[in-house]
Amino acid sequence: MKNIAVIGAGTMGNGIAHTFAQSGFTVKLIDVSEKSLDKGMATIAANLDRMVAKGAISEEDKHKTIGNIITYTDVKDGVTGVDLVVEAATENVELKLNIFRQLNEACAHNTILATNTSSISITQIGAVVAHPERVIGMHFMNPVPIMKLVEIIRGYNTSDEVTKTIMDLSVQLGKVPVEVNDYPGFVANRILMPMINESIETLYNGVAGVYEIDTVMKLGMAHPMGPLQLADFIGLDVCLAILHVMYDGFKNPKYAPCPLLVNMVRAGKLGVKSGEGFYDYSESKKAEKVAKQFL
């Protein structure tokens, strides 16, 4: 397996493309937007420059990595002749199902089809393609080139052979794969999102402020960043989408999103990517300044 296609040039997609390319794979990075592809490639180059500056890789390694990536705006052209497709589009059920319908038409029947979804059912996605045994979840963590974990999610029909292939491939990438079963939120988000949601409820109920909640979790629980800072980093819209998937999947009120989270997303306060969430990022991408509405 040497030829990989990655669909989506956003934060996760360009990180996945970077990781495969740095490991010597030929990567076809696909996005319908030429602008998104340019931005994704610029991000990869900037991240590689940082690695060179730290002495983690050489200048030659950087050029080889970039040279391993080819960009496409057409899905059919991009997936021709690949061994594996990793879909990394926005966390939207209908969007992902439509992409997999396209892949069903454009890919050979033995091409493995993976999704980077963090919560959506692999079984549901697999149901729209022929040979659903080749559909699997490959949930990378952000930032992809640095984070070691990959959640490998088996759908109801995913074969043992495909699972082993993707587990072994993840090790080739220098990652630590963990196999989990297909239930809403899998493991990572089933545990993480209720914690983030409860942190937002704690703020909403006036128990403590943004800085205080994050400080308790960082210093008291040894978390590298507080849950509200982490929510901003993930994207509040993404957190809300995952909570909706979990609430719809389990029908359990403990997964219902906090009204404060809902209103912030409606207001466009999405965290780092919009410049404001629980923190103000207008001057720095670091969570150093609490957003004005929470002071």
PDB file of all heavy atoms in Angstrom, residues 128-164:
ATOM      1  N   VAL A 128     -23.835   2.750   2.347  1.00  0.00           N
ATOM      2  CA  VAL A 128     -24.094   3.390   1.050  1.00  0.00           C
ATOM      3  C   VAL A 128     -23.111   2.925  -0.029  1.00  0.00           C
ATOM      4  O   VAL A 128     -23.151   3.430  -1.160  1.00  0.00           O
ATOM      5  CB  VAL A 128     -24.067   4.936   1.151  1.00  0.00           C
ATOM      6  CG1 VAL A 128     -25.095   5.422   2.157  1.00  0.00           C
ATOM      7  CG2 VAL A 128     -22.682   5.464   1.472  1.00  0.00           C
ATOM      8  N   VAL A 129     -22.211   1.979   0.297  1.00  0.00           N
ATOM      9  CA  VAL A 129     -21.266   1.492  -0.700  1.00  0.00           C
ATOM     10  C   VAL A 129     -21.389  -0.021  -0.873  1.00  0.00           C
ATOM     11  O   VAL A 129     -21.832  -0.728   0.035  1.00  0.00           O
ATOM     12  CB  VAL A 129     -19.797   1.840  -0.333  1.00  0.00           C
ATOM     13  CG1 VAL A 129     -19.629   3.317  -0.062  1.00  0.00           C
ATOM     14  CG2 VAL A 129     -19.304   1.040   0.854  1.00  0.00           C
ATOM     15  N   ALA A 130     -20.997  -0.491  -2.057  1.00  0.00           N
ATOM     16  CA  ALA A 130     -20.881  -1.927  -2.263  1.00  0.00           C
ATOM     17  C   ALA A 130     -19.670  -2.418  -1.478  1.00  0.00           C
ATOM     18  O   ALA A 130     -18.723  -1.658  -1.266  1.00  0.00           O
ATOM     19  CB  ALA A 130     -20.712  -2.225  -3.755  1.00  0.00           C
ATOM     20  N   HIS A 131     -19.702  -3.623  -1.012  1.00  0.00           N
ATOM     21  CA  HIS A 131     -18.604  -4.200  -0.214  1.00  0.00           C
ATOM     22  C   HIS A 131     -18.321  -3.359   1.040  1.00  0.00           C
ATOM     23  O   HIS A 131     -17.227  -2.825   1.221  1.00  0.00           O
ATOM     24  CB  HIS A 131     -17.331  -4.330  -1.056  1.00  0.00           C
ATOM     25  CG  HIS A 131     -17.520  -5.135  -2.307  1.00  0.00           C
ATOM     26  ND1 HIS A 131     -17.712  -6.498  -2.292  1.00  0.00           N
ATOM     27  CD2 HIS A 131     -17.587  -4.747  -3.612  1.00  0.00           C
ATOM     28  CE1 HIS A 131     -17.872  -6.929  -3.539  1.00  0.00           C
ATOM     29  NE2 HIS A 131     -17.806  -5.888  -4.349  1.00  0.00           N
ATOM     30  N   PRO A 132     -19.312  -3.214   1.930  1.00  0.00           N
ATOM     31  CA  PRO A 132     -19.117  -2.412   3.146  1.00  0.00           C
ATOM     32  C   PRO A 132     -18.048  -2.965   4.084  1.00  0.00           C
ATOM     33  O   PRO A 132     -17.626  -2.262   5.005  1.00  0.00           O
ATOM     34  CB  PRO A 132     -20.499  -2.442   3.806  1.00  0.00           C
ATOM     35  CG  PRO A 132     -21.158  -3.670   3.271  1.00  0.00           C
ATOM     36  CD  PRO A 132     -20.660  -3.804   1.859  1.00  0.00           C
ATOM     37  N   GLU A 133     -17.593  -4.190   3.831  1.00  0.00           N
ATOM     38  CA  GLU A 133     -16.525  -4.759   4.660  1.00  0.00           C
ATOM     39  C   GLU A 133     -15.219  -3.974   4.524  1.00  0.00           C
ATOM     40  O   GLU A 133     -14.322  -4.100   5.354  1.00  0.00           O
ATOM     41  CB  GLU A 133     -16.306  -6.233   4.302  1.00  0.00           C
ATOM     42  CG  GLU A 133     -15.725  -6.505   2.926  1.00  0.00           C
ATOM     43  CD  GLU A 133     -16.769  -6.550   1.819  1.00  0.00           C
ATOM     44  OE1 GLU A 133     -17.975  -6.306   2.105  1.00  0.00           O
ATOM     45  OE2 GLU A 133     -16.381  -6.824   0.661  1.00  0.00           O
ATOM     46  N   ARG A 134     -15.102  -3.130   3.496  1.00  0.00           N
ATOM     47  CA  ARG A 134     -13.871  -2.356   3.287  1.00  0.00           C
ATOM     48  C   ARG A 134     -13.938  -0.967   3.907  1.00  0.00           C
ATOM     49  O   ARG A 134     -13.006  -0.171   3.783  1.00  0.00           O
ATOM     50  CB  ARG A 134     -13.591  -2.232   1.791  1.00  0.00           C
ATOM     51  CG  ARG A 134     -14.703  -1.476   1.037  1.00  0.00           C
ATOM     52  CD  ARG A 134     -14.462  -1.524  -0.449  1.00  0.00           C
ATOM     53  NE  ARG A 134     -15.620  -1.062  -1.193  1.00  0.00           N
ATOM     54  CZ  ARG A 134     -15.524  -0.286  -2.280  1.00  0.00           C
ATOM     55  NH1 ARG A 134     -14.349   0.093  -2.720  1.00  0.00           N
ATOM     56  NH2 ARG A 134     -16.615   0.082  -2.923  1.00  0.00           N
ATOM     57  N   VAL A 135     -15.052  -0.632   4.565  1.00  0.00           N
ATOM     58  CA  VAL A 135     -15.226   0.689   5.175  1.00  0.00           C
ATOM     59  C   VAL A 135     -14.845   0.633   6.644  1.00  0.00           C
ATOM     60  O   VAL A 135     -15.276  -0.262   7.386  1.00  0.00           O
ATOM     61  CB  VAL A 135     -16.681   1.180   5.006  1.00  0.00           C
ATOM     62  CG1 VAL A 135     -16.878   2.516   5.715  1.00  0.00           C
ATOM     63  CG2 VAL A 135     -17.031   1.284   3.529  1.00  0.00           C
ATOM     64  N   ILE A 136     -14.034   1.597   7.075  1.00  0.00           N
ATOM     65  CA  ILE A 136     -13.502   1.589   8.443  1.00  0.00           C
ATOM     66  C   ILE A 136     -13.297   3.020   8.924  1.00  0.00           C
ATOM     67  O   ILE A 136     -13.141   3.949   8.117  1.00  0.00           O
ATOM     68  CB  ILE A 136     -12.163   0.797   8.480  1.00  0.00           C
ATOM     69  CG1 ILE A 136     -11.746   0.474   9.923  1.00  0.00           C
ATOM     70  CG2 ILE A 136     -11.049   1.519   7.711  1.00  0.00           C
ATOM     71  CD1 ILE A 136     -10.651  -0.595  10.021  1.00  0.00           C
ATOM     72  N   GLY A 137     -13.324   3.220  10.225  1.00  0.00           N
ATOM     73  CA  GLY A 137     -13.020   4.523  10.799  1.00  0.00           C
ATOM     74  C   GLY A 137     -11.550   4.629  11.135  1.00  0.00           C
ATOM     75  O   GLY A 137     -10.948   3.696  11.668  1.00  0.00           O
ATOM     76  N   MET A 138     -10.968   5.770  10.793  1.00  0.00           N
ATOM     77  CA  MET A 138      -9.556   6.033  11.083  1.00  0.00           C
ATOM     78  C   MET A 138      -9.496   7.434  11.690  1.00  0.00           C
ATOM     79  O   MET A 138      -9.236   8.418  11.011  1.00  0.00           O
ATOM     80  CB  MET A 138      -8.741   5.924   9.793  1.00  0.00           C
ATOM     81  CG  MET A 138      -7.294   5.580   9.969  1.00  0.00           C
ATOM     82  SD  MET A 138      -6.484   5.343   8.359  1.00  0.00           S
ATOM     83  CE  MET A 138      -4.845   4.873   8.953  1.00  0.00           C
ATOM     84  N   HIS A 139      -9.799   7.515  12.986  1.00  0.00           N
ATOM     85  CA  HIS A 139      -9.961   8.802  13.665  1.00  0.00           C
ATOM     86  C   HIS A 139      -8.622   9.283  14.209  1.00  0.00           C
ATOM     87  O   HIS A 139      -8.164   8.861  15.267  1.00  0.00           O
ATOM     88  CB  HIS A 139     -10.994   8.664  14.793  1.00  0.00           C
ATOM     89  CG  HIS A 139     -11.211   9.923  15.569  1.00  0.00           C
ATOM     90  ND1 HIS A 139     -11.625   9.918  16.883  1.00  0.00           N
ATOM     91  CD2 HIS A 139     -11.078  11.230  15.230  1.00  0.00           C
ATOM     92  CE1 HIS A 139     -11.725  11.152  17.320  1.00  0.00           C
ATOM     93  NE2 HIS A 139     -11.395  11.973  16.329  1.00  0.00           N
ATOM     94  N   PHE A 140      -7.980  10.172  13.439  1.00  0.00           N
ATOM     95  CA  PHE A 140      -6.737  10.798  13.868  1.00  0.00           C
ATOM     96  C   PHE A 140      -7.043  11.917  14.866  1.00  0.00           C
ATOM     97  O   PHE A 140      -8.135  12.468  14.889  1.00  0.00           O
ATOM     98  CB  PHE A 140      -5.998  11.399  12.673  1.00  0.00           C
ATOM     99  CG  PHE A 140      -5.420  10.399  11.716  1.00  0.00           C
ATOM    100  CD1 PHE A 140      -6.193   9.888  10.681  1.00  0.00           C
ATOM    101  CD2 PHE A 140      -4.108   9.978  11.833  1.00  0.00           C
ATOM    102  CE1 PHE A 140      -5.659   8.970   9.779  1.00  0.00           C
ATOM    103  CE2 PHE A 140      -3.563   9.065  10.943  1.00  0.00           C
ATOM    104  CZ  PHE A 140      -4.334   8.556   9.911  1.00  0.00           C
ATOM    105  N   MET A 141      -6.048  12.269  15.671  1.00  0.00           N
ATOM    106  CA  MET A 141      -6.187  13.359  16.636  1.00  0.00           C
ATOM    107  C   MET A 141      -5.463  14.600  16.114  1.00  0.00           C
ATOM    108  O   MET A 141      -4.502  14.499  15.350  1.00  0.00           O
ATOM    109  CB  MET A 141      -5.596  12.953  17.994  1.00  0.00           C
ATOM    110  CG  MET A 141      -6.188  11.673  18.562  1.00  0.00           C
ATOM    111  SD  MET A 141      -7.932  11.804  19.012  1.00  0.00           S
ATOM    112  CE  MET A 141      -8.587  10.284  18.290  1.00  0.00           C
ATOM    113  N   ASN A 142      -5.903  15.754  16.534  1.00  0.00           N
ATOM    114  CA  ASN A 142      -5.333  17.026  16.097  1.00  0.00           C
ATOM    115  C   ASN A 142      -4.354  17.579  17.150  1.00  0.00           C
ATOM    116  O   ASN A 142      -4.696  17.607  18.325  1.00  0.00           O
ATOM    117  CB  ASN A 142      -6.478  18.022  15.881  1.00  0.00           C
ATOM    118  CG  ASN A 142      -6.030  19.342  15.316  1.00  0.00           C
ATOM    119  OD1 ASN A 142      -5.028  19.435  14.621  1.00  0.00           O
ATOM    120  ND2 ASN A 142      -6.774  20.378  15.621  1.00  0.00           N
ATOM    121  N   PRO A 143      -3.138  18.005  16.734  1.00  0.00           N
ATOM    122  CA  PRO A 143      -2.566  18.051  15.389  1.00  0.00           C
ATOM    123  C   PRO A 143      -2.031  16.684  14.945  1.00  0.00           C
ATOM    124  O   PRO A 143      -1.260  16.053  15.678  1.00  0.00           O
ATOM    125  CB  PRO A 143      -1.435  19.076  15.519  1.00  0.00           C
ATOM    126  CG  PRO A 143      -1.044  19.039  16.972  1.00  0.00           C
ATOM    127  CD  PRO A 143      -2.282  18.691  17.743  1.00  0.00           C
ATOM    128  N   VAL A 144      -2.431  16.275  13.747  1.00  0.00           N
ATOM    129  CA  VAL A 144      -2.169  14.913  13.280  1.00  0.00           C
ATOM    130  C   VAL A 144      -0.682  14.552  13.249  1.00  0.00           C
ATOM    131  O   VAL A 144      -0.307  13.459  13.679  1.00  0.00           O
ATOM    132  CB  VAL A 144      -2.812  14.678  11.894  1.00  0.00           C
ATOM    133  CG1 VAL A 144      -2.552  13.245  11.422  1.00  0.00           C
ATOM    134  CG2 VAL A 144      -4.301  14.954  11.948  1.00  0.00           C
ATOM    135  N   PRO A 145       0.208  15.420  12.758  1.00  0.00           N
ATOM    136  CA  PRO A 145       1.615  15.004  12.690  1.00  0.00           C
ATOM    137  C   PRO A 145       2.246  14.733  14.064  1.00  0.00           C
ATOM    138  O   PRO A 145       3.253  14.027  14.155  1.00  0.00           O
ATOM    139  CB  PRO A 145       2.305  16.194  12.005  1.00  0.00           C
ATOM    140  CG  PRO A 145       1.213  16.871  11.245  1.00  0.00           C
ATOM    141  CD  PRO A 145      -0.008  16.732  12.111  1.00  0.00           C
ATOM    142  N   ILE A 146       1.644  15.266  15.120  1.00  0.00           N
ATOM    143  CA  ILE A 146       2.238  15.157  16.463  1.00  0.00           C
ATOM    144  C   ILE A 146       1.545  14.103  17.316  1.00  0.00           C
ATOM    145  O   ILE A 146       2.209  13.320  18.011  1.00  0.00           O
ATOM    146  CB  ILE A 146       2.181  16.533  17.170  1.00  0.00           C
ATOM    147  CG1 ILE A 146       3.059  17.545  16.422  1.00  0.00           C
ATOM    148  CG2 ILE A 146       2.608  16.415  18.637  1.00  0.00           C
ATOM    149  CD1 ILE A 146       2.889  18.971  16.881  1.00  0.00           C
ATOM    150  N   MET A 147       0.227  14.070  17.287  1.00  0.00           N
ATOM    151  CA  MET A 147      -0.527  13.184  18.182  1.00  0.00           C
ATOM    152  C   MET A 147      -0.391  11.726  17.751  1.00  0.00           C
ATOM    153  O   MET A 147      -0.530  11.393  16.577  1.00  0.00           O
ATOM    154  CB  MET A 147      -2.002  13.591  18.206  1.00  0.00           C
ATOM    155  CG  MET A 147      -2.228  14.993  18.734  1.00  0.00           C
ATOM    156  SD  MET A 147      -1.844  15.166  20.483  1.00  0.00           S
ATOM    157  CE  MET A 147      -3.381  14.545  21.187  1.00  0.00           C
ATOM    158  N   LYS A 148      -0.135  10.853  18.724  1.00  0.00           N
ATOM    159  CA  LYS A 148       0.171   9.451  18.437  1.00  0.00           C
ATOM    160  C   LYS A 148      -1.062   8.570  18.217  1.00  0.00           C
ATOM    161  O   LYS A 148      -1.003   7.578  17.500  1.00  0.00           O
ATOM    162  CB  LYS A 148       0.995   8.854  19.594  1.00  0.00           C
ATOM    163  CG  LYS A 148       2.420   9.378  19.674  1.00  0.00           C
ATOM    164  CD  LYS A 148       3.253   8.838  18.529  1.00  0.00           C
ATOM    165  CE  LYS A 148       4.715   9.191  18.677  1.00  0.00           C
ATOM    166  NZ  LYS A 148       5.512   8.706  17.521  1.00  0.00           N
ATOM    167  N   LEU A 149      -2.165   8.907  18.854  1.00  0.00           N
ATOM    168  CA  LEU A 149      -3.321   8.012  18.830  1.00  0.00           C
ATOM    169  C   LEU A 149      -4.061   8.036  17.494  1.00  0.00           C
ATOM    170  O   LEU A 149      -4.264   9.100  16.898  1.00  0.00           O
ATOM    171  CB  LEU A 149      -4.308   8.410  19.937  1.00  0.00           C
ATOM    172  CG  LEU A 149      -5.629   7.622  19.971  1.00  0.00           C
ATOM    173  CD1 LEU A 149      -5.385   6.164  20.339  1.00  0.00           C
ATOM    174  CD2 LEU A 149      -6.615   8.269  20.932  1.00  0.00           C
ATOM    175  N   VAL A 150      -4.490   6.845  17.034  1.00  0.00           N
ATOM    176  CA  VAL A 150      -5.491   6.731  15.977  1.00  0.00           C
ATOM    177  C   VAL A 150      -6.544   5.739  16.468  1.00  0.00           C
ATOM    178  O   VAL A 150      -6.231   4.584  16.756  1.00  0.00           O
ATOM    179  CB  VAL A 150      -4.901   6.223  14.639  1.00  0.00           C
ATOM    180  CG1 VAL A 150      -5.983   6.262  13.562  1.00  0.00           C
ATOM    181  CG2 VAL A 150      -3.705   7.047  14.210  1.00  0.00           C
ATOM    182  N   GLU A 151      -7.781   6.215  16.593  1.00  0.00           N
ATOM    183  CA  GLU A 151      -8.892   5.310  16.910  1.00  0.00           C
ATOM    184  C   GLU A 151      -9.283   4.576  15.630  1.00  0.00           C
ATOM    185  O   GLU A 151      -9.637   5.211  14.635  1.00  0.00           O
ATOM    186  CB  GLU A 151     -10.108   6.114  17.399  1.00  0.00           C
ATOM    187  CG  GLU A 151     -10.269   6.199  18.876  1.00  0.00           C
ATOM    188  CD  GLU A 151     -11.614   6.800  19.269  1.00  0.00           C
ATOM    189  OE1 GLU A 151     -12.042   7.801  18.662  1.00  0.00           O
ATOM    190  OE2 GLU A 151     -12.234   6.267  20.193  1.00  0.00           O
ATOM    191  N   ILE A 152      -9.201   3.264  15.646  1.00  0.00           N
ATOM    192  CA  ILE A 152      -9.597   2.452  14.497  1.00  0.00           C
ATOM    193  C   ILE A 152     -10.970   1.868  14.806  1.00  0.00           C
ATOM    194  O   ILE A 152     -11.109   1.048  15.711  1.00  0.00           O
ATOM    195  CB  ILE A 152      -8.582   1.322  14.227  1.00  0.00           C
ATOM    196  CG1 ILE A 152      -7.158   1.891  14.103  1.00  0.00           C
ATOM    197  CG2 ILE A 152      -8.990   0.527  12.989  1.00  0.00           C
ATOM    198  CD1 ILE A 152      -6.969   2.869  12.968  1.00  0.00           C
ATOM    199  N   ILE A 153     -11.987   2.312  14.064  1.00  0.00           N
ATOM    200  CA  ILE A 153     -13.359   1.937  14.397  1.00  0.00           C
ATOM    201  C   ILE A 153     -13.903   0.943  13.381  1.00  0.00           C
ATOM    202  O   ILE A 153     -13.959   1.234  12.176  1.00  0.00           O
ATOM    203  CB  ILE A 153     -14.283   3.172  14.447  1.00  0.00           C
ATOM    204  CG1 ILE A 153     -13.711   4.240  15.386  1.00  0.00           C
ATOM    205  CG2 ILE A 153     -15.685   2.771  14.907  1.00  0.00           C
ATOM    206  CD1 ILE A 153     -13.059   5.392  14.679  1.00  0.00           C
ATOM    207  N   ARG A 154     -14.302  -0.208  13.888  1.00  0.00           N
ATOM    208  CA  ARG A 154     -14.907  -1.242  13.045  1.00  0.00           C
ATOM    209  C   ARG A 154     -16.401  -1.005  12.927  1.00  0.00           C
ATOM    210  O   ARG A 154     -17.107  -0.907  13.937  1.00  0.00           O
ATOM    211  CB  ARG A 154     -14.702  -2.624  13.676  1.00  0.00           C
ATOM    212  CG  ARG A 154     -13.285  -3.107  13.711  1.00  0.00           C
ATOM    213  CD  ARG A 154     -13.215  -4.527  14.231  1.00  0.00           C
ATOM    214  NE  ARG A 154     -13.861  -5.465  13.305  1.00  0.00           N
ATOM    215  CZ  ARG A 154     -13.342  -6.641  12.968  1.00  0.00           C
ATOM    216  NH1 ARG A 154     -12.193  -7.039  13.482  1.00  0.00           N
ATOM    217  NH2 ARG A 154     -13.969  -7.433  12.135  1.00  0.00           N
ATOM    218  N   GLY A 155     -16.890  -0.925  11.693  1.00  0.00           N
ATOM    219  CA  GLY A 155     -18.325  -0.923  11.464  1.00  0.00           C
ATOM    220  C   GLY A 155     -18.865  -2.330  11.631  1.00  0.00           C
ATOM    221  O   GLY A 155     -18.103  -3.295  11.802  1.00  0.00           O
ATOM    222  N   TYR A 156     -20.173  -2.466  11.552  1.00  0.00           N
ATOM    223  CA  TYR A 156     -20.804  -3.782  11.740  1.00  0.00           C
ATOM    224  C   TYR A 156     -20.290  -4.789  10.720  1.00  0.00           C
ATOM    225  O   TYR A 156     -20.158  -5.975  11.011  1.00  0.00           O
ATOM    226  CB  TYR A 156     -22.324  -3.631  11.611  1.00  0.00           C
ATOM    227  CG  TYR A 156     -23.100  -4.871  11.997  1.00  0.00           C
ATOM    228  CD1 TYR A 156     -23.367  -5.158  13.334  1.00  0.00           C
ATOM    229  CD2 TYR A 156     -23.566  -5.754  11.023  1.00  0.00           C
ATOM    230  CE1 TYR A 156     -24.072  -6.299  13.698  1.00  0.00           C
ATOM    231  CE2 TYR A 156     -24.275  -6.900  11.369  1.00  0.00           C
ATOM    232  CZ  TYR A 156     -24.526  -7.164  12.716  1.00  0.00           C
ATOM    233  OH  TYR A 156     -25.226  -8.296  13.054  1.00  0.00           O
ATOM    234  N   ASN A 157     -19.963  -4.301   9.510  1.00  0.00           N
ATOM    235  CA  ASN A 157     -19.542  -5.193   8.431  1.00  0.00           C
ATOM    236  C   ASN A 157     -18.043  -5.166   8.142  1.00  0.00           C
ATOM    237  O   ASN A 157     -17.574  -5.892   7.261  1.00  0.00           O
ATOM    238  CB  ASN A 157     -20.298  -4.841   7.138  1.00  0.00           C
ATOM    239  CG  ASN A 157     -21.778  -5.136   7.243  1.00  0.00           C
ATOM    240  OD1 ASN A 157     -22.176  -6.263   7.506  1.00  0.00           O
ATOM    241  ND2 ASN A 157     -22.607  -4.114   7.049  1.00  0.00           N
ATOM    242  N   THR A 158     -17.285  -4.337   8.842  1.00  0.00           N
ATOM    243  CA  THR A 158     -15.847  -4.218   8.550  1.00  0.00           C
ATOM    244  C   THR A 158     -15.150  -5.560   8.754  1.00  0.00           C
ATOM    245  O   THR A 158     -15.330  -6.210   9.786  1.00  0.00           O
ATOM    246  CB  THR A 158     -15.191  -3.153   9.444  1.00  0.00           C
ATOM    247  OG1 THR A 158     -15.914  -1.931   9.344  1.00  0.00           O
ATOM    248  CG2 THR A 158     -13.743  -2.921   9.033  1.00  0.00           C
ATOM    249  N   SER A 159     -14.341  -5.961   7.785  1.00  0.00           N
ATOM    250  CA  SER A 159     -13.694  -7.277   7.849  1.00  0.00           C
ATOM    251  C   SER A 159     -12.465  -7.272   8.760  1.00  0.00           C
ATOM    252  O   SER A 159     -11.851  -6.228   9.004  1.00  0.00           O
ATOM    253  CB  SER A 159     -13.266  -7.727   6.451  1.00  0.00           C
ATOM    254  OG  SER A 159     -12.172  -6.964   5.986  1.00  0.00           O
ATOM    255  N   ASP A 160     -12.103  -8.458   9.227  1.00  0.00           N
ATOM    256  CA  ASP A 160     -10.882  -8.624  10.019  1.00  0.00           C
ATOM    257  C   ASP A 160      -9.657  -8.215   9.206  1.00  0.00           C
ATOM    258  O   ASP A 160      -8.725  -7.600   9.731  1.00  0.00           O
ATOM    259  CB  ASP A 160     -10.727 -10.085  10.464  1.00  0.00           C
ATOM    260  CG  ASP A 160     -11.773 -10.506  11.478  1.00  0.00           C
ATOM    261  OD1 ASP A 160     -12.394  -9.622  12.102  1.00  0.00           O
ATOM    262  OD2 ASP A 160     -11.970 -11.726  11.653  1.00  0.00           O
ATOM    263  N   GLU A 161      -9.666  -8.573   7.926  1.00  0.00           N
ATOM    264  CA  GLU A 161      -8.515  -8.289   7.063  1.00  0.00           C
ATOM    265  C   GLU A 161      -8.286  -6.791   6.913  1.00  0.00           C
ATOM    266  O   GLU A 161      -7.158  -6.298   7.024  1.00  0.00           O
ATOM    267  CB  GLU A 161      -8.731  -8.924   5.686  1.00  0.00           C
ATOM    268  CG  GLU A 161      -7.575  -8.701   4.722  1.00  0.00           C
ATOM    269  CD  GLU A 161      -7.843  -9.261   3.340  1.00  0.00           C
ATOM    270  OE1 GLU A 161      -8.931  -9.829   3.111  1.00  0.00           O
ATOM    271  OE2 GLU A 161      -6.951  -9.122   2.481  1.00  0.00           O
ATOM    272  N   VAL A 162      -9.370  -6.057   6.664  1.00  0.00           N
ATOM    273  CA  VAL A 162      -9.256  -4.598   6.518  1.00  0.00           C
ATOM    274  C   VAL A 162      -8.813  -3.967   7.833  1.00  0.00           C
ATOM    275  O   VAL A 162      -7.961  -3.075   7.858  1.00  0.00           O
ATOM    276  CB  VAL A 162     -10.598  -3.998   6.025  1.00  0.00           C
ATOM    277  CG1 VAL A 162     -10.623  -2.479   6.214  1.00  0.00           C
ATOM    278  CG2 VAL A 162     -10.815  -4.358   4.567  1.00  0.00           C
ATOM    279  N   THR A 163      -9.367  -4.447   8.941  1.00  0.00           N
ATOM    280  CA  THR A 163      -8.983  -3.910  10.255  1.00  0.00           C
ATOM    281  C   THR A 163      -7.500  -4.115  10.511  1.00  0.00           C
ATOM    282  O   THR A 163      -6.791  -3.183  10.929  1.00  0.00           O
ATOM    283  CB  THR A 163      -9.807  -4.585  11.372  1.00  0.00           C
ATOM    284  OG1 THR A 163     -11.193  -4.378  11.123  1.00  0.00           O
ATOM    285  CG2 THR A 163      -9.446  -4.016  12.735  1.00  0.00           C
ATOM    286  N   LYS A 164      -6.995  -5.304  10.240  1.00  0.00           N
ATOM    287  CA  LYS A 164      -5.569  -5.588  10.453  1.00  0.00           C
ATOM    288  C   LYS A 164      -4.698  -4.724   9.544  1.00  0.00           C
ATOM    289  O   LYS A 164      -3.663  -4.190   9.973  1.00  0.00           O
ATOM    290  CB  LYS A 164      -5.260  -7.064  10.212  1.00  0.00           C
ATOM    291  CG  LYS A 164      -3.806  -7.433  10.524  1.00  0.00           C
ATOM    292  CD  LYS A 164      -3.505  -8.900  10.300  1.00  0.00           C
ATOM    293  CE  LYS A 164      -2.113  -9.262  10.776  1.00  0.00           C
ATOM    294  NZ  LYS A 164      -1.047  -8.397  10.209  1.00  0.00           N
TER     295      LYS A 164
END
